[in-house]
Amino acid sequence: MGEEFTPLRTIALARHFTAALANDSGVSHMFSAADAPLVTLFGPTSAEKFQPKVTLGGVITAQEFGGGAMTDIPVQSVIERLDQMLISDPVARR
């Protein structure tokens, strides 16, 4: 087998993640398939409809900050959400 990244390889690697951050994309759903601790960013897409299902994590939407594009999400808010997720789960802090 070659060294290329495939969906199955991505899922296998994601099983070892302490935390993951992704935009609303196929990658976020591959991380979800591995049940990686995940924060997903949403721009204009409906988070309620497309949110990946994970045991630990959640979403941040542009609408929370009065915008409609992913670029409207402040970086500091993303950092804080990831920190909260890591602090709340002792296993994720390994």
Side-chain angles (χ1 to χ4, degrees):
M1 182 169 161
E3 293 299 316
E4 68 277 354
F5 282 95
T6 65
L8 289 177
R9 187 177 201 159
T10 301
I11 293 165
L13 289 170
R15 289 189 175 130
H16 301 281
F17 289 0
T18 300
L21 172 68
N23 65 332
D24 174 39
S25 64
V27 174
S28 67
H29 293 283
M30 286 185 263
F31 292 168
S32 171
D35 199 24
L38 174 66
V39 173
T40 308
L41 307 180
F42 283 84
T45 308
S46 169
E48 191 172 301
K49 185 174 182 181
F50 295 107
Q51 174 180 351
K53 306 297 184 223
V54 292
T55 302
L56 181 63
V59 301
I60 301 175
T61 67
Q63 292 76 22
E64 293 174 47
F65 303 96
M70 208 168 297
T71 55
D72 295 322
I73 301 171
V75 172
Q76 188 60 40
S77 295
V78 176
I79 292 168
E80 289 170 5
R81 185 72 62 87
L82 285 167
D83 283 345
Q84 288 172 354
M85 184 175 67
L86 291 170
I87 290 168
S88 71
D89 183 24
V91 174
R93 289 187 301 215
R94 57 189 146 145

